[in-house]
Amino acid sequence: MASIKNSPCISCFTFPNSHLLIFSVHPRPALPSCVHPSRPEPLDLHLGMFLPTLLNQATSEQMDRFFMPAWNLEIIGTYAQTEMGHGTHLRGLETTATYDPATQEFVLNSPTVSSIKWWPGGLGKTSNHAIVLAQLYTQGNCRGLHAFIVPIRDMSTHVPLPGIVVGDIGPKFGFSEVDNGFLKLENVRIPRDNMLMKYAKVEPDGTYLKPPSAKLTYGTMVFIRSMIVGESAKALAKSCTISIRYSVVRHQSEIRAGEPEPQILDYQTQQYKLFPLLAMAYAFTFVGQYMQATYRRISGDISQGNFSELPELHALSAGLKAFTTWATNSAIEVCRMSCGGHGYSRSSALPDIYVEFTPTCTYEGENTVMMLQTARYLVKSYRQAKDGQQLSGIVSYLSEADHRRVQPQPVAARPTVVDINDLSSLVEVYKLRAAILVELAAKSIQQELQHRKCQEDAWNNSAIDLVRASDAHCHYVVVKLFTDKLGEIGDTAIHSVLSTLALLYALNGIKLNSGDFLQAGLLSGPQVLQISVRIKELLSQLRPNAVALVDAFDFNDKLLNSVLGRYDGNVYENLFEWARRSPLNSTEVHESFHKYLKPLRSKL
């Protein structure tokens, strides 16, 4: 087999409206481009985690052995990290990989019930290999988590190999098509070169060579978290498309007695439900693009031996993953309810979007823990800035002395100079809010320490403040990136409409978090009232362009799979046809009548 390093171009790209990232190799092997364009699939982890992990962490020799067979679906892999007893807390994972220098093999074990690998997609019935995250033991020492390629099923018969106990974990809230599985390892031996050794290495005699950064082991998670930000945008964009299109088809009640029933999108309350979510969908789209570009750039730096930006990428991907998925998960439900009773039907596609998106709030890191990981980086950066270090990147605002001196105080204590119609001014306000909340969280920890609390207790007792600080930081990043994106748009008309969306997103965020801005003295009470009035004006301005704005997401009817969100607007005719195709309508008289109802009637 030709060496992968000598193969033609390997490039990353995402399929539109799919949550898979796969790799294009030219000339292209026989891998199908996408198994299913819009729903979870058993091959998702093979394409989205197994292959990327090989590309990022395998040596050239390991690429020769594993990548092309995996690309051609001879090897079908999954990514086995989460265990029954531990998920987001990676240091707590219990699976062990103990090196045996006599045979130059690793012996993998699941030492407890809680150490059984649990949840990996495609593990239950589909995969024949798994990348297993396990605690490495060599020369009597635990070296922390490392990744190992473990064959789990016979390549010919697909029967589980000796020492492998594997199966499906059963029905879930959604993801019905995916065989999420369990994996118990009982003294499973694999060759030494099945440990992914691009960075960390174990020599034949057991000598351990540590990686240049411990976070490199978690590179696949950072990659997936970065991708989830974009997937949040897609799920929200789909939901907005369905609900806004349906809102111009549906007519309801009367605004003025005796006049025709208006489109429900003409009601201010419907606009207030949906237009801020539409603005959020655009904001998250631009943030998702930024995260993908940033991941590619920093990955390129890492390949050249520059690891300086890896901690920030880790913190930013964790925080934005939590921020966008929490917001999107709530927003999808608002879109569903805005469609009235028909939104409850699966014909709307909104129930399926919800159940398929909801797991993002817990997989690849439970969101509260993700926010706390981001907070750890923010507090560390704040302390560095306070010690006089000049920060770079997205946290550079913590280096600005004026920001660090800002303290929450009564509004009357100092004047506010915020122009609520100027995005640059609003970005500055979001920045100040983030800086203040980071400082408050850091000071909360310090106060706890002064009360003779240990570092761990001080952190736990400040956790609410820390999550608020991370949320404010992520909110600032989103508003900033949305505003920055406007500078790239040359078309005057498009720039005008997107500026209106960006202003609505920023002002609505202030309204929803007005307590933070008021308490910090960043805004006055009259300004918050002005913001409420301005939001109503923006809703009215966006109304003529609402349908065009969702059409611009360019979801075709097949991909959207929604009767309510049809591009042609023929909702009611197709809703009736959809209902008539229900399996219960395959016969005029269901068998239950003859089996239960008719005998019951004969007894009466």
Side-chain angles (χ1 to χ4, degrees):
M1 181 183 299
S3 172
I4 191 70
K5 61 180 179 288
N6 296 320
S7 296
C9 174
I10 301 177
S11 60
C12 298
F13 67 96
T14 55
F15 285 108
N17 313 315
S18 167
H19 59 278
L20 305 180
L21 181 144
I22 70 169
F23 299 82
S24 172
V25 179
H26 305 285
R28 185 174 182 173
L31 182 66
S33 62
C34 191
V35 178
H36 195 294
S38 62
R39 296 183 67 86
E41 293 285 350
L43 287 180
D44 281 2
L45 262 70
H46 175 80
L47 298 171
M49 297 190 79
F50 189 82
L51 291 175
T53 302
L54 290 177
L55 281 172
N56 290 330
Q57 298 189 39
T59 65
S60 58
E61 293 77 14
Q62 290 171 327
M63 291 290 283
D64 289 344
R65 288 176 55 209
F66 296 111
F67 186 83
M68 290 311 296
W71 180 252
N72 288 316
L73 296 183
E74 297 164 21
I75 288 176
I76 300 176
T78 187
Y79 189 83
Q81 173 179 292
T82 300
E83 297 173 359
M84 191 186 296
H86 288 94
T88 307
H89 180 53
L90 298 181
R91 292 193 303 276
L93 295 180
E94 300 176 81
T95 303
T96 61
T98 304
Y99 184 65
D100 180 359
T103 60
Q104 295 192 22
E105 293 175 317
F106 292 101
V107 184
L108 282 89
N109 271 298
S110 304
T112 64
V113 171
S114 57
S115 70
I116 296 172
K117 295 295 181 182
W118 202 265
W119 279 114
L123 175 62
K125 294 296 176 183
T126 305
S127 301
N128 53 35
H129 282 67
I131 290 176
V132 174
L133 271 289
Q135 302 287 357
L136 168 63
Y137 285 84
T138 180
Q139 295 182 333
N141 296 311
C142 180
R143 310 293 186 175
L145 280 184
H146 291 72
F148 302 84
I149 302 174
V150 182
I152 58 175
R153 289 183 171 95
D154 185 275
M155 295 287 283
S156 300
T157 65
H158 210 61
V159 172
L161 294 170
I164 300 289
V165 180
V166 63
D168 183 84
I169 64 171
K172 304 164 291 286
F173 182 60
F175 277 56
S176 299
E177 302 90 341
V178 179
D179 53 328
N180 297 87
F182 61 80
L183 174 64
K184 187 174 187 292
L185 301 159
E186 299 175 339
N187 293 313
V188 175
R189 288 181 171 265
I190 59 172
R192 181 183 67 88
D193 52 8
N194 274 34
M195 173 182 160
L196 292 177
M197 293 200 204
K198 184 175 182 178
Y199 298 111
K201 294 180 175 63
V202 173
E203 299 288 4
D205 65 354
T207 300
Y208 176 71
L209 304 176
K210 66 180 182 179
S213 170
K215 287 183 171 61
L216 288 168
T217 304
Y218 312 136
T220 300
M221 286 188 307
V222 173
F223 159 67
I224 293 296
R225 289 169 188 165
S226 299
M227 296 299 300
I228 288 173
V229 175
E231 292 311 310
S232 298
K234 290 174 185 176
L236 181 53
K238 283 184 178 181
S239 302
C240 288
T241 299
I242 294 165
S243 55
I244 288 176
R245 283 180 178 174
Y246 178 67
S247 293
V248 298
V249 171
R250 183 74 171 183
H251 292 252
Q252 187 78 31
S253 304
E254 301 170 342
I255 293 179
R256 299 178 185 86
E259 292 189 359
E261 294 179 298
Q263 298 169 326
I264 62 174
L265 199 60
D266 288 335
Y267 288 100
Q268 188 183 70
T269 50
Q270 190 77 346
Q271 295 171 13
Y272 189 54
K273 290 176 187 176
L274 296 177
F275 290 176
L277 304 187
L278 176 61
M280 187 192 298
Y282 271 85
F284 288 179
T285 297
F286 298 141
V287 174
Q289 293 170 355
Y290 171 85
M291 285 304 300
Q292 289 188 39
T294 301
Y295 179 85
R296 287 194 294 269
R297 176 178 61 79
I298 294 178
S299 293
D301 292 343
I302 290 172
S303 67
Q304 299 299 316
N306 180 4
F307 306 97
S308 60
E309 292 188 79
L310 184 57
E312 180 172 343
L313 176 62
H314 181 270
L316 188 60
S317 64
L320 286 176
K321 180 265 184 188
F323 183 84
T324 58
T325 56
W326 262 335
T328 299
N329 196 54
S330 298
I332 295 169
E333 180 66 357
V334 172
C335 289
R336 184 192 68 78
M337 290 190 290
S338 74
C339 292
H342 291 325
Y344 188 66
S345 168
R346 287 187 70 183
S347 66
S348 71
L350 291 166
D352 287 338
I353 294 173
Y354 182 81
V355 300
E356 289 167 12
F357 184 80
T358 293
T360 62
C361 293
T362 48
Y363 69 54
E364 299 312 313
E366 191 276 330
N367 279 356
T368 301
V369 179
M370 293 296 93
M371 283 297 197
L372 289 170
Q373 287 187 7
T374 301
R376 194 174 296 278
Y377 179 76
L378 292 173
V379 170
K380 180 180 179 181
S381 299
Y382 166 80
R383 289 170 176 167
Q384 290 173 338
K386 194 173 181 180
D387 290 340
Q389 294 185 41
Q390 186 63 37
L391 303 178
S392 60
I394 206 71
V395 295
S396 60
Y397 66 91
L398 296 174
S399 289
E400 300 173 28
D402 290 342
H403 294 174
R404 293 208 311 275
R405 285 198 297 268
V406 172
Q407 296 291 333
Q409 54 188 289
V411 174
R414 58 191 173 85
T416 54
V417 287
V418 179
D419 182 353
I420 65 170
N421 292 299
D422 178 61
L423 280 167
S424 297
S425 183
L426 295 177
V427 169
E428 186 69 16
V429 172
Y430 271 92
K431 179 198 294 184
L432 287 167
R433 174 199 176 214
I436 290 168
L437 291 181
V438 170
E439 182 170 19
L440 286 174
K443 288 186 173 180
S444 173
I445 295 173
Q446 190 61 37
Q447 289 170 359
E448 291 289 333
L449 291 172
Q450 289 172 357
H451 286 91
R452 298 185 179 180
K453 300 286 179 62
C454 67
Q455 182 68 40
E456 293 77 12
D457 287 342
W459 181 268
N460 184 49
N461 292 344
S462 305
I464 294 174
D465 296 325
L466 290 163
V467 170
R468 285 180 65 219
S470 289
D471 183 84
H473 171 74
C474 292
H475 210 160
Y476 157 65
V477 170
V478 175
V479 173
K480 182 181 185 302
L481 292 177
F482 199 167
T483 303
D484 291 347
K485 189 68 177 181
L486 297 175
E488 303 175 15
I489 299 170
D491 186 287
T492 303
I494 294 175
H495 187 279
S496 176
V497 175
L498 290 183
S499 294
T500 303
L501 276 178
L503 189 58
L504 177 60
Y505 179 76
L507 291 179
N508 192 60
I510 291 175
K511 187 174 185 297
L512 294 176
N513 299 278
S514 58
D516 288 346
F517 295 93
L518 288 169
Q519 183 181 8
L522 299 173
L523 292 172
S524 66
Q527 283 178 313
V528 174
L529 293 177
Q530 288 177 343
I531 286 173
S532 295
V533 173
R534 186 67 178 119
I535 286 173
K536 294 176 184 177
E537 295 172 351
L538 294 174
L539 298 178
S540 180
Q541 289 176 30
L542 286 169
R543 170 63 181 91
N545 294 307
V547 174
L549 283 166
V550 295
D551 286 352
F553 291 127
D554 199 25
F555 295 113
N556 61 49
D557 284 344
K558 184 177 180 181
L559 189 60
L560 207 57
N561 195 31
S562 171
V563 175
L564 302 192
R566 289 175 59 90
Y567 181 78
D568 62 13
N570 294 327
V571 171
Y572 297 135
E573 301 92 331
N574 287 280
L575 186 58
F576 184 50
E577 289 302 314
W578 185 89
R580 294 190 66 172
R581 291 195 299 271
S582 170
L584 286 178
N585 294 326
S586 59
T587 58
E588 289 292 342
V589 180
H590 192 260
E591 62 179 359
S592 61
F593 172 78
H594 300 286
K595 191 172 181 180
Y596 300 110
L597 296 181
K598 189 174 181 180
L600 180 63
R601 290 176 59 190
S602 66
K603 294 179 181 180
L604 297 178

